[in-house]
Amino acid sequence: MSTTATPARAPHGGLPTGHKPAQGRVGAGLFDPGQLLKSLPDAFRKLDPRVTAKSPVMFVVWIGSVLTTVFSFRDPGDWFGWTISVWLWLTVVFANLAEAVAEGRGKAQADTLRKAKTGTVARRLTRDGAEERVPGTELTIGDLVVCEAGDSIPGDGDVVEGVASVDESAITGESAPVIRESGGDRSAVTGGTKVLSDRIVVKITTRPGETFIDRMIGLVEGAARQKTPNEIALNILLASLTIVFLLAVATLPPFADYAGAHLTMVVLVALLVCLIPTTIGALLSAIGIAGMDRLVQRNVLAMSGRAVEAAGDVSTLLLDKTGTITLGNRQACAFVPVSGTTEAELAAAAELSSLADETPEGRSVVALAKEEYGLRERREGEPAGAEWIAFTARTRMSGVDVDGRKIRKGAAGSVVAWVREQGGEVPEDAGALADRISGAGGTPLLVAVEDAEGARVLGVIHLKDVVKEGMRERFDELRRMGIRTVMVTGDNPLTAKAIAREAGVDDFLAEATPEDKMALIKREQAGGRLVAMTGDGTNDAPALAQADVGVAMNTGTSAAKEAGNMVDLDSDPTKLIEIVEIGKQLLITRGALTTFSIANDVAKYFAIIPALFAAVHPGLNRLNIMGLSSPDSAILSAVIFNALIIVALVPLSLKGVRYRPVSADRMLRRNLTIYGVGGLIAPFVGIKLIDLLVSAIPGIG
């Protein structure tokens, strides 16, 4: 049995949910320059030292800005001190701006979600079965509420009675309604969504203020975002580098005094700010917020930044077969006649027996007969006088009695038994054909007829799980990432092996039970690998909780959503592949900008150090390879570049560095080439250009 459900179809043939982007959300990964202006007030509010202190690097810059401002007030005529002070404050503001822009996009999404929070009146059922109207805010866990067409669902819960069409556009952005029904894996409903038809009874599973929408709002606004282990480790590294450079700068005044040079506090602060890794220190928080934001833009809610990072380090991917690797519905792909029967005769009988079969398999038989064998489409009421035989679990057959003929279609054993009951004989090759189709991973359906010539088997319909287009290529990409894919299915090993071979997965787990999935995840984790999986049923909850990245479908049960650390609002199981790519993009972006930040500090050394001591040690002029015009312009140019590069990198930190599925070695070489070498070259060019502009100002050059 499959572990994930395909998205529920809307009534009257509507499209399944999850096949178009959410409406009313900020464009995925897009950078809006206008957002910079909108976020400026927040950037200035973040100058509060209690906020700035959360980033050790930028807190040092903040303290330096205060010191230079104080010394500038002591010497109001010192234009150099005032200019340095202004650009140091701008450096802090630009760092705050990067974080404010990232948070601003989350707030825009939160505003959209708040519109879904409406004050509703709930029709709560009392113990004697009567209804009472109460405010939705008074509902408690375990309450039963009735919702009918036109009602808003007052809180998160599970459908315990009935089936209804529900509009979830306020949550997913998808206009097509979905089906929610009691039992099974599509019973969960979300507060704020609207019932479009029928009547359901919902059991409330959350308290007011703790609903799914409330959690979403808190997460996308960044209020609940905690620093991840990697982010904490990088902050510690940056703080350590800052302390090292702080000690190094603190030792310079005695050496300078001994050499006959005097270093002012303004110059020392400027040197310190240019030496410490301010670029990555300014952008680090924005990178983390933007990573979660990219998931939200794809309608995936990450319960923590840790889950996003874990997705980037995943090495084993558990994917359900039905609805993920395959389309989820078996399709007729061939009519295989027994000896003495033609394909056309078999196709005509198969089509006739399937006209009243509204299952996806039945419709595919009719479509195949029409497309491949030119059989005309029959109109409603044809054939006249037909008596349709519905499929039942007992008979395992369906068919039609018409014009003195009886046609049956169904499981091989059932059809064979029916033919023999009618006094007919079964050809020897019928069993062989069915076994061959089963061995290939397909499902055989026998077609038989009883007419004036007696009862006989006409042949076999080959049903197969259709692998989604492009899945093999996507698995090849995952393999190049170093990720091992495992298909999980309830099918028998023979069928599972055939599907796995066609799809191109690395391994498969057949006849999987919840215990089997748990055992597989634990084995992978024991080997030091991180595991990701999808699920939607209550029976998936233990495995989702055990996996490092557990993606629960929004169509699934509350237990599954509580167990996972991500929820896919579109309930598209293939999105797990995108989640892995976003996680890797987050890690790559952080690494690339860290490399760039540390590399561009080298150019600042060549700008400032010669300028400080060239007057007393003329030999240091050889290090002035940029040919900067004067010590003052060199220091000022380095400080200005240090501030402007933060603004220049804001779009990249929000969009993320483009991820390509290559090996770790190639990725490292590529990033070192682009961001390492680029981080060395860009400051030389930028500082020189700024120096040319600064030196043209009278009194500086």
Side-chain angles (χ1 to χ4, degrees):
M1 183 174 291
S2 70
T3 56
T4 59
T6 53
R9 289 188 177 272
H12 314 299
L15 289 174
T17 61
H19 287 266
K20 70 177 186 177
Q23 306 297 316
R25 299 191 188 273
V26 179
L30 296 179
F31 173 73
D32 178 13
Q35 189 68 46
L36 286 173
L37 294 176
K38 296 177 185 176
S39 301
L40 270 177
D42 284 337
F44 282 102
R45 279 192 287 269
K46 287 177 179 289
L47 289 175
D48 185 333
R50 292 169 296 182
V51 177
T52 310
K54 295 178 182 178
S55 172
V57 176
M58 297 317 300
F59 188 56
V60 169
V61 180
W62 185 90
I63 293 175
S65 304
V66 172
L67 288 175
T68 57
T69 303
V70 170
F71 278 91
S72 296
F73 271 109
R74 292 175 61 181
D75 187 5
D78 181 15
W79 64 266
F80 179 77
W82 281 111
T83 307
I84 292 293
S85 297
V86 168
W87 280 101
L88 289 182
W89 280 115
L90 286 176
T91 301
V92 181
V93 171
F94 292 159
N96 293 342
L97 186 63
E99 185 174 1
V101 169
E103 291 177 350
R105 302 203 309 178
K107 289 176 181 176
Q109 293 160 349
D111 289 340
T112 301
L113 292 171
R114 281 196 180 92
K115 295 176 183 177
K117 288 189 65 177
T118 56
T120 57
V121 175
R123 297 162 56 188
R124 183 168 60 186
L125 290 178
T126 61
R127 291 186 178 181
D128 58 3
E131 292 184 15
E132 61 176 354
R133 292 185 174 271
V134 297
T137 53
E138 293 185 9
L139 294 175
T140 59
I141 295 175
D143 282 348
L144 297 178
V145 296
V146 176
C147 298
E148 294 182 321
D151 292 344
S152 291
I153 297 175
D156 294 358
D158 290 325
V159 179
V160 294
E161 181 183 321
V163 57
S165 174
V166 179
D167 176 11
E168 294 188 340
S169 58
I171 307 299
T172 67
E174 171 59 56
S175 58
V178 296
I179 302 300
R180 292 292 177 262
E181 56 189 337
S182 60
D185 297 336
R186 292 201 297 268
S187 61
V189 291
T190 306
T193 57
K194 189 174 183 179
V195 177
L196 299 180
S197 68
D198 303 294
R199 176 185 184 273
I200 53 175
V201 177
V202 177
K203 183 178 182 180
I204 300 299
T205 57
T206 58
R207 298 181 182 88
E210 299 178 3
T211 65
F212 190 64
I213 293 182
D214 290 315
R215 283 185 291 158
M216 286 178 67
I217 292 171
L219 287 166
V220 299
E221 283 186 323
R225 198 186 79 86
Q226 302 295 321
K227 280 184 168 51
T228 63
N230 284 345
E231 202 171 338
I232 293 172
L234 186 54
N235 262 317
I236 293 173
L237 173 62
L238 298 180
S240 301
L241 289 174
T242 301
I243 292 172
V244 169
F245 285 120
L246 183 61
L247 294 174
V249 170
T251 61
L252 285 179
F255 287 105
D257 291 341
Y258 178 78
H262 177 65
L263 300 179
T264 66
M265 179 61 69
V266 172
V267 170
L268 289 173
V269 170
L271 175 62
L272 175 62
V273 169
C274 289
L275 293 185
I276 62 178
T278 50
T279 306
I280 185 61
L283 299 174
L284 185 58
S285 181
I287 293 170
I289 295 172
M292 294 184 69
D293 178 61
R294 280 192 289 275
L295 278 179
V296 173
Q297 290 163 1
R298 287 164 176 79
N299 271 1
V300 177
L301 175 63
M303 301 302 182
S304 68
R306 183 191 296 263
V308 185
E309 281 192 357
D313 285 330
V314 160
S315 52
T316 302
L317 208 57
L318 269 60
L319 296 162
D320 186 60
K321 184 201 75 171
T322 305
T324 305
I325 295 174
T326 66
L327 292 175
N329 297 314
R330 295 172 300 175
Q331 303 286 309
C333 64
F335 297 121
V336 185
V338 298
S339 56
T341 304
T342 65
E343 287 189 24
E345 183 182 1
L346 172 59
E351 183 209 29
L352 193 57
S353 67
S354 302
L355 288 176
D357 188 349
E358 290 300 321
T359 65
E361 292 87 349
R363 290 195 295 268
S364 73
V365 171
V366 176
L368 180 64
K370 177 185 174 184
E371 294 169 6
E372 299 293 330
Y373 298 93
L375 296 177
R376 73 178 182 87
E377 186 174 358
R378 300 174 190 266
R379 294 183 174 85
E380 187 176 351
E382 291 186 293
E387 181 183 348
W388 303 104
I389 310 300
F391 176 88
T392 66
R394 184 180 62 82
T395 63
R396 300 180 67 196
M397 291 188 305
S398 62
V400 62
D401 294 347
V402 61
D403 297 333
R405 300 168 61 204
K406 295 181 179 180
I407 304 174
R408 297 293 184 270
K409 172 197 70 178
S414 300
V415 173
V416 166
W418 179 81
V419 169
R420 287 175 175 163
E421 287 176 3
Q422 309 306 313
E425 294 187 1
V426 179
E428 293 182 2
D429 57 345
L433 291 174
D435 291 341
R436 189 181 73 192
I437 291 172
S438 296
T443 301
L445 290 181
L446 260 61
V447 179
V449 62
E450 183 192 12
D451 54 17
E453 299 179 15
R456 62 191 185 281
V457 174
L458 298 178
V460 185
I461 303 171
H462 183 176
L463 296 179
K464 65 174 292 187
D465 274 334
V466 179
V467 175
K468 291 181 177 178
E469 185 177 354
M471 290 305 296
R472 177 175 284 274
E473 289 75 14
R474 299 199 77 172
F475 290 138
D476 288 340
E477 286 184 11
L478 289 169
R479 202 169 289 113
R480 287 195 292 271
M481 296 181 202
I483 296 175
R484 175 172 168 264
T485 52
V486 181
M487 183 184 78
V488 179
T489 178
D491 288 340
N492 63 73
L494 202 60
T495 300
K497 182 178 181 180
I499 296 294
R501 184 169 55 246
E502 182 180 354
V505 296
D506 298 311
D507 201 356
F508 65 90
L509 177 66
E511 298 177 343
T513 64
E515 292 77 15
D516 293 334
K517 284 182 275 188
M518 278 282 288
L520 174 60
I521 293 172
K522 289 180 178 179
R523 283 199 304 272
E524 294 290 321
Q525 291 172 332
R529 291 178 286 272
L530 296 185
V531 181
M533 75 160 287
T534 61
D536 61 359
T538 301
N539 63 334
D540 292 323
L544 286 170
Q546 180 67 35
D548 300 284
V549 179
V551 184
M553 301 295 101
N554 193 40
T555 56
T557 61
S558 298
K561 289 194 280 190
E562 289 294 333
N565 48 26
M566 291 187 187
V567 177
D568 177 16
L569 303 180
D570 291 331
S571 300
D572 177 8
T574 60
K575 203 178 287 185
L576 181 57
I577 299 173
E578 290 182 54
I579 291 170
V580 170
E581 292 175 350
I582 291 172
K584 287 188 175 293
Q585 186 185 35
L586 170 65
L587 297 178
I588 292 169
T589 301
R590 187 181 292 155
L593 292 184
T594 301
T595 302
F596 184 91
S597 176
I598 294 175
N600 72 31
D601 286 340
V602 175
K604 299 170 196 172
Y605 305 160
F606 283 97
I608 296 181
I609 299 297
L612 292 177
F613 295 103
V616 293
H617 295 293
L620 288 176
N621 274 321
R622 297 176 182 174
L623 296 178
N624 187 15
I625 58 179
M626 286 181 277
L628 302 179
S629 57
S630 70
D632 285 350
S633 70
I635 296 171
L636 185 56
S637 298
V639 171
I640 292 174
F641 175 84
N642 194 62
L644 294 180
I645 195 64
I646 294 173
V647 179
L649 291 175
V650 168
L652 182 62
S653 68
L654 297 180
K655 291 181 181 178
V657 175
R658 183 180 177 186
Y659 172 72
R660 289 174 181 158
V662 296
S663 65
D665 290 340
R666 286 187 60 189
M667 191 181 303
L668 178 62
R669 287 196 299 270
R670 175 176 173 270
N671 286 342
L672 285 177
T673 301
I674 296 175
Y675 298 98
V677 177
L680 287 172
I681 296 174
F684 281 93
V685 176
I687 291 174
K688 178 59 179 177
L689 292 175
I690 295 172
D691 176 72
L692 292 175
L693 295 174
V694 169
S695 60
I697 300 175
I700 298 180

